[in-house]
Amino acid sequence: MIIGKKEFDLEQHFYMMGILNVTPDSFSDGGKYNDIERALRQTEQLIEDGADIIDVGGESTRPNHIKITSEEEMERVCPVIEKIKTTFDIPVSLDTYKSDVAQAGIKAGADLLNDVWGLKWDGTMAQVIAKAGIPCCLMHNRHDRNYTNFVENVLEDLRESVNLAIDAGISKDKIILDPGIGFAKDLNENLIMMKHLDRLKELGYPVLLGTSRKSMIGLTLDLPVTEREEGTLTTSVMGLMAGCSIFRVHDVKTNIRGLKMADAILMAE
């Protein structure tokens, strides 16, 4: 898969997506990087630590987050995307579910669109991505938790997202799927999803895993958001073992070391 100017071999290798939240209220790092200079310094650090993609988000998607207007979201993300693209040679992903923000972000230089609603929030999102010809990551999400058979229902929901993409003209080789850990799932459902991550490979697309510092880890280990690094690393390693190929994390350095070790063991003959 080509993302930006770089080729990603998502069958044979794993890649790190470094999280850059330019928000005042994200659950883990809200307010830390919401001016351009600090955002650029953090980007430089993420790249130094081994990030392959920078994921820029302008609206927190944590539980009970404050919804913002598209205009405000554009004001947050577009200047940062532009500056990253002119300063560094790294693909940039834009984390948004709004088509007008996506359009502005793509114009600013975004190379990948990361939609936490899997194209189901905004009816024109799929067309915007298709027209731009860029890859997208479609995450599992839904408005309710009325599951009849949890894992099968998640797979069905993701198939719906894939169909929306293909019907809009997004080519199959530009689709990545995300199980949506922490979205429309309680603690037990998140753990079940982690246990059955390998089932996502049945859909035939590369899988991105985003568990970094999430409440699943905090609730399981009874730890605050500042102490969830080891828990995150465990989920990343289990994700690699289940066939995930992109890992969206805050702590790139530790996760890449853990994944390299796990990968060496998995590749041993």
Side-chain angles (χ1 to χ4, degrees):
M1 181 181 291
I2 306 289
I3 306 175
K5 292 180 288 185
K6 305 212 169 171
E7 187 156 351
F8 288 73
D9 181 355
L10 298 172
E11 286 295 308
Q12 303 295 325
H13 297 284
F14 71 84
Y15 298 91
M16 307 307 294
M17 178 181 273
I19 298 169
L20 183 69
N21 286 320
V22 288
T23 57
D25 61 337
S26 282
F27 78 97
S28 171
D29 51 6
K32 276 192 179 181
Y33 313 118
N34 57 339
D35 75 57
I36 287 189
E37 285 314 308
R38 284 189 294 178
L40 282 180
R41 279 200 299 276
Q42 178 62 5
T43 301
E44 190 169 22
Q45 188 62 58
L46 290 167
I47 293 169
E48 206 174 290
D49 289 345
D52 301 289
I53 308 171
I54 303 297
D55 188 50
V56 177
E59 177 180 297
S60 172
T61 49
R62 66 180 172 80
N64 308 314
H65 70 281
I66 301 157
K67 281 200 169 7
I68 59 168
T69 64
S70 293
E71 288 68 30
E72 195 176 346
E73 196 176 339
M74 287 177 208
E75 281 166 20
R76 289 178 185 180
V77 299
C78 291
V80 171
I81 292 169
E82 276 177 20
K83 201 73 177 150
I84 291 171
K85 293 299 293 183
T86 55
T87 311
F88 305 104
D89 181 25
I90 191 165
V92 172
S93 160
L94 171 59
D95 185 346
T96 189
Y97 53 89
K98 301 169 190 163
S99 62
D100 49 356
V101 177
Q103 214 157 6
I106 291 163
K107 198 175 173 189
D111 304 296
L112 182 148
L113 207 291
N114 189 5
D115 183 353
V116 298
W117 277 98
L119 307 177
K120 294 178 185 180
W121 181 276
D122 184 325
T124 54
M125 178 65 100
Q127 284 77 12
V128 167
I129 297 167
K131 190 178 174 192
I134 64 168
C136 58
C137 180
L138 310 178
M139 196 189 82
H140 176 262
N141 205 346
R142 51 156 66 190
H143 293 286
D144 61 65
R145 285 197 13 252
N146 302 330
Y147 300 107
T148 51
N149 182 330
F150 174 66
V151 175
E152 297 303 330
N153 292 162
V154 169
L155 295 179
E156 285 160 22
D157 291 349
L158 283 169
R159 280 191 193 97
E160 287 173 10
S161 288
V162 167
N163 290 337
L164 287 171
I166 290 167
D167 290 349
I170 298 170
S171 62
K172 288 185 176 183
D173 62 354
K174 286 184 162 56
I175 297 171
I176 300 162
L177 300 180
D178 178 341
I181 298 295
F183 290 79
K185 300 167 190 70
D186 63 17
L187 172 58
N188 191 49
E189 287 158 350
N190 282 312
L191 294 171
I192 291 169
M193 193 70 254
M194 282 299 307
K195 187 175 179 179
H196 295 284
L197 281 175
D198 58 328
R199 295 286 312 278
L200 269 71
K201 296 299 285 178
E202 293 172 18
L203 301 176
Y205 296 92
V207 178
L208 177 149
L209 183 64
T211 56
S212 192
R213 303 180 186 171
K214 285 188 175 173
S215 63
M216 173 184 73
I217 297 161
L219 291 168
T220 303
L221 303 178
D222 192 21
L223 288 173
V225 82
T226 52
E227 293 182 42
R228 297 178 186 172
E229 204 170 336
E230 301 92 339
T232 300
L233 185 49
T234 303
T235 60
S236 293
V237 167
M238 293 190 81
L240 185 74
M241 293 171 76
C244 300
S245 44
I246 303 177
F247 298 85
R248 182 182 179 276
V249 297
H250 299 86
D251 306 294
V252 171
K253 189 188 282 184
T254 45
N255 277 272
I256 203 168
R257 285 176 179 172
L259 286 168
K260 275 182 178 174
M261 191 68 232
D263 194 45
I265 295 166
L266 292 170
M267 293 297 167
E269 291 181 3

